[in-house]
Every structure is written in structure tokens, then in C-alpha cells.
Amino acid sequence: MIRKLAQIVLSLALSIFFPLPSFGATVLEEIKTTGILKAGVRQDAAPFGYRSATGEWEGYCIALIELLATRLQEQLNLSQAIKIEYIKSTLENREQIVRDKTVHLECGPNTVTRTPQSGIVYSDRFLITGVYLLVRPDNKGYINPSGALENISIGVLPASLTQRFITSRYSLAQPIEYPGISGREAAVKDVLSGQINAFASDGLLLVGEVLRQPEVSKADYALVPSEPLTCEFYGMILPAGDIAWLNTINSLILVQESVEILTKLYGDDSAYVQTTEAAIKKCMP
């Protein structure tokens, strides 16, 4: 009995001086304790996230997360600014790094679906976009998205929602897959060189890829039609089961601010702003 009591006292003492980590802590509790917000961001998805020529993180998601951190500091009543740790996410690992709690959230071109993968949820939409066709200006009159696009070669990224849409909507077209992390870049180059007729993707990502190529000017490409073919709503990926974190994110990010953020980053005459305004007009009349 005395020995058992001694073990209990020792255990209590150890728990006080060497506390175990709380694996059940919510994201808000963790941020309040550590002062750190861990965010997954893409490096290959301009304008959402990319590295500058000097290696700095840049893009819409960077601006959005910085705004979120400022608002979160105020809501949690923290005396010091929240430190942001950016962790590279990819198309393949973006759900996993949230599920295994490597990051508190992932920001990128994540289409909000009704059936998210196990272990994750989507925030409310923070940006609206849609599918366009990137074409050469001299093909603009020849490629009519209102028609069947019979025998028109259209580049798509494999296993994407856009590929599913193109093969369903334009069954007479000739879809050509561009796999891998450089697939979007390769498809854009093939359109501009005339190797394929068009490349289908999210309008913002199309503009982002074109602008990454310094030798390309506005006169070298066009997006058709004038409004997106689909309505895509992007949300952040968050861990499932943490309702307080989900509600906090939804209360601090507003889709109405998307044009304002893009304008501050790229100017009100940028193709990013024009594309987003067209999507809002179509999808949020």
C-alpha cells in the first residue's frame, strides 16, 4: 500500500514538472499556447502560392493567411503577433498534411466538395473562379465553347475535376493529358506554340502560368469564353472534428474580400482581378 502510494505521488510530481503534450488540444488552444500558425501553401500554383525569384513566399494565400493571423491575434487577445510557419503543400499531399496535423490549414486551389476525404473539412469559400480555355488569339474565332469542339485538341491535367468536365461536356473533343508538377507549364507552352488548340483549367491558374513566362505578353494568349464555363468555389482544408477552428476560420475570411486582396497584390487592371470579377458575376449574381 505504501509502495503504491509512493508511485502515485511520484507520477503526480512528474506530471507537474514534465507535463505530457496534449494530443486532444484544439487548433485554437495550440496557437494560443505556442503563438504559431502552421499553414500549408503550394509553390506551384500562382497566384495562390509560389516562390519569388529571391525565394520569398508570395501569392494570394500568403496575403490571406497574414490577414487571418492578424485577425486571429485580436480574437485570441494575444499580446504578440502570431508567427506564421509556411510548409510546402502539393496536389498530392495537401489533405494528408492537414489530416496528420503537420499544418493547421492548407490554402490553395481546393475545390469545395460535398464529400471531402476522411479526416478533413473545407472552410467556407474564400474565392470563386471557373474553367476557361486558354487559346492563341488567332484561334479565338475558331474555338467556340458553345459548340461541340469536335476534333479540337484540349490539354487537361489528369484526374482533375476539369478533365472530368471537359470529357463530359465536349465528348467529341480530343483531350490530351499533361501529367506531373510541370504539366500546366508544358500545356501552356504547347498552346502558344500551336502544338494543341487549347488548354482547359481554372482561369486564375491559367493566368498565373502565363505570367510566369516572361517572354509571353497579353497579345500572345486569350481566355475563352468571356465568363467561366463552370463555377468553382475554393476553400481552405481544415482538420475534421475541430468545430471551433472551422467556425473561427469561417468568421475571419470573407469571399467578398477576394477582389480587394487581388487588387492590392496585382493592380485593378490585372487579368487576375478581371477573371475573378467575371466569375463573381456569373456565380454570385
Side-chain angles (χ1 to χ4, degrees):
M1 181 68 180
I2 295 176
R3 183 178 180 182
K4 188 173 184 180
L5 182 60
Q7 289 176 337
I8 293 173
V9 171
L10 179 60
S11 297
L12 288 172
L14 290 174
S15 68
I16 292 172
F17 292 104
F18 303 99
L20 293 173
S22 175
F23 294 105
T26 67
V27 170
L28 287 174
E29 290 169 344
E30 184 178 331
I31 293 173
K32 199 166 185 177
T33 300
T34 64
I36 297 173
L37 171 63
K38 295 180 288 186
V41 180
R42 300 273 291 276
Q43 291 185 354
D44 62 340
F48 295 93
Y50 55 96
R51 292 278 197 173
S52 69
T54 59
E56 298 295 320
W57 287 93
E58 291 187 358
Y60 180 89
C61 279
I62 305 304
L64 185 60
I65 292 169
E66 289 176 352
L67 180 62
L68 173 63
T70 299
R71 293 175 176 175
L72 195 56
Q73 179 193 353
E74 295 174 359
Q75 186 176 89
L76 295 177
N77 196 27
L78 300 177
S79 59
Q80 295 185 336
I82 292 175
K83 179 184 177 182
I84 304 171
E85 289 186 0
Y86 293 111
I87 296 171
K88 177 185 175 182
S89 63
T90 66
L91 181 64
E92 293 76 24
N93 79 356
R94 54 186 174 175
E95 292 90 2
Q96 183 59 40
I97 61 174
V98 173
R99 190 183 297 116
D100 64 18
K101 300 184 180 180
T102 301
V103 298
H104 299 131
L105 59 84
E106 198 276 345
C107 181
N110 307 313
T111 301
V112 176
T113 65
R114 294 182 180 179
T115 55
Q117 291 185 18
S118 174
I120 67 159
V121 294
Y122 294 108
S123 72
D124 285 346
R125 56 199 179 189
F126 66 78
L127 196 143
I128 301 172
T129 183
V131 172
Y132 285 85
L133 298 179
L134 177 76
V135 301
R136 289 183 7 163
D138 54 354
N139 280 338
K140 193 173 178 180
Y142 167 65
I143 298 175
N144 177 19
S146 299
L149 297 183
E150 184 174 359
N151 295 323
I152 297 295
S153 55
I154 303 176
V156 293
L157 300 182
S160 63
L161 293 176
T162 299
Q163 181 184 38
R164 212 179 307 169
F165 166 76
I166 291 296
T167 54
S168 173
R169 172 80 173 266
Y170 302 109
S171 58
L172 298 180
Q174 298 177 358
I176 299 175
E177 292 187 354
Y178 284 82
I181 193 171
S182 60
R184 184 175 284 105
E185 178 184 5
V188 168
K189 287 182 176 179
D190 280 357
V191 169
L192 299 180
S193 66
Q195 298 299 309
I196 60 174
N197 300 126
F199 174 45
S201 187
D202 159 8
L204 285 174
L205 293 174
L206 285 174
V207 172
E209 188 56 51
V210 169
L211 294 181
R212 285 183 60 209
Q213 304 182 28
E215 70 279 5
V216 178
S217 69
K218 285 186 177 181
D220 296 325
Y221 73 95
L223 296 183
V224 294
S226 58
E227 290 186 348
L229 294 165
T230 63
C231 291
E232 304 291 334
F233 302 97
Y234 287 159
M236 293 189 180
I237 300 176
L238 306 173
D242 195 335
I243 301 301
W245 182 230
L246 173 63
N247 290 339
T248 298
I249 293 296
N250 289 343
S251 70
L252 296 180
I253 58 174
L254 303 172
V255 67
Q256 294 87 343
E257 295 178 306
S258 58
V259 171
E260 180 182 346
I261 294 172
L262 287 168
T263 299
K264 286 181 179 179
L265 288 172
Y266 305 109
D268 56 10
D269 62 341
S270 76
Y272 291 132
V273 172
Q274 295 166 2
T275 302
T276 302
E277 288 178 332
I280 290 174
K281 180 181 178 181
K282 175 185 174 71
C283 306
M284 291 183 65

